[in-house]
Amino acid sequence: MTTGSVSPRRADTRRNHERILAVAAESLARTGEVSFNAIAKQAEVGVGTVYRHFPTPEALILAVYQREVRHIVDIVPVLLEKHAADEAFRVWVTDHLAHYMMTKKGLADALRRATASRGELPASAYEAMVGAVSTLLKANESAGTVRPDLDPLVVLRGLAGLLLLDPNGDWRGDAAGLAELLWHGMAR
């Protein structure tokens, strides 16, 4: 019978994996580049460990992207616990989604290069984002703050306008303005 405990080696492997992803995310946000040697040094692992987890730069870039999307999606239930449904939507758009888009421009550029040969991003990340928007819409529909006929895909496409914000300008104010514009179109 197992107690559910994790062997120290597996726990160490998971910690290494997460450290590599965190360091790579910082590097991509800052420079848009991944250097396995630099990432290994900063993550305090051997370069072979980086290659063992991520055999190619493209694999590392896609893993960082999926990790970042997971963070954006996983915050939705937390926001719905802390805020009214309408405020949770606004906070998610301005403080999480827009912030991610403005601070991850290097990742976006690297992601475009990494997916050029494959042609598209992993479907699971897109589906997760649609799910996050759907969760926010359902909460707002239950609260009576939005129309019941909203399509999460359409709302997500409207939020894609965040990609056009200037990271060197007042992107927070612009993101709030876009969220408010969308909200007026969604409200009852």
Side-chain angles (χ1 to χ4, degrees):
M1 184 167 148
T2 180
T3 62
S5 64
V6 177
S7 75
R9 184 176 181 136
R10 288 186 187 208
D12 187 52
T13 299
R14 281 197 302 270
R15 277 192 305 274
N16 287 344
H17 187 85
E18 185 55 33
R19 274 200 320 261
I20 292 166
L21 285 175
V23 168
E26 289 174 22
S27 176
L28 285 165
R30 208 174 43 252
T31 68
E33 302 292 327
V34 290
S35 162
F36 278 29
N37 289 330
I39 289 168
K41 184 177 181 180
Q42 195 171 357
E44 299 176 346
V45 298
V47 72
T49 300
V50 178
Y51 277 105
R52 215 173 9 266
H53 286 268
F54 308 100
T56 65
E58 292 80 13
L60 178 56
I61 291 165
L62 289 172
V64 168
Y65 169 71
Q66 290 175 314
R67 175 185 179 264
E68 298 295 320
V69 168
R70 191 171 51 252
H71 287 273
I72 294 170
V73 169
D74 289 349
I75 195 67
V76 168
V78 174
L79 293 174
L80 287 169
E81 285 180 21
K82 291 172 72 174
H83 303 283
D86 59 333
E87 186 62 18
F89 176 82
R90 287 180 178 92
V91 169
W92 185 73
V93 170
T94 58
D95 293 356
H96 297 279
L97 189 59
H99 181 264
Y100 166 80
M101 290 180 178
M102 293 301 101
T103 60
K104 305 297 181 185
K105 289 291 190 180
L107 173 58
D109 293 341
L111 196 56
R112 276 191 285 281
R113 290 190 305 272
T115 58
S117 61
R118 294 185 175 160
E120 63 185 58
L121 295 171
S124 61
Y126 181 72
E127 291 166 4
M129 290 297 290
V130 172
V133 170
S134 181
T135 298
L136 286 163
L137 291 178
K138 285 177 186 169
N140 275 285
E141 187 178 333
S142 293
T145 55
V146 298
R147 300 187 335 249
D149 62 340
L150 294 172
D151 182 347
L153 288 172
V154 173
V155 174
L156 188 58
R157 287 181 192 127
L159 291 170
L162 294 169
L163 289 169
L164 301 174
L165 301 179
D166 178 6
N168 299 314
D170 179 23
W171 62 264
R172 287 188 186 276
D174 292 341
L178 179 61
E180 198 59 32
L181 177 68
L182 280 173
W183 187 258
H184 285 292
M186 297 181 335
R188 282 190 161 260

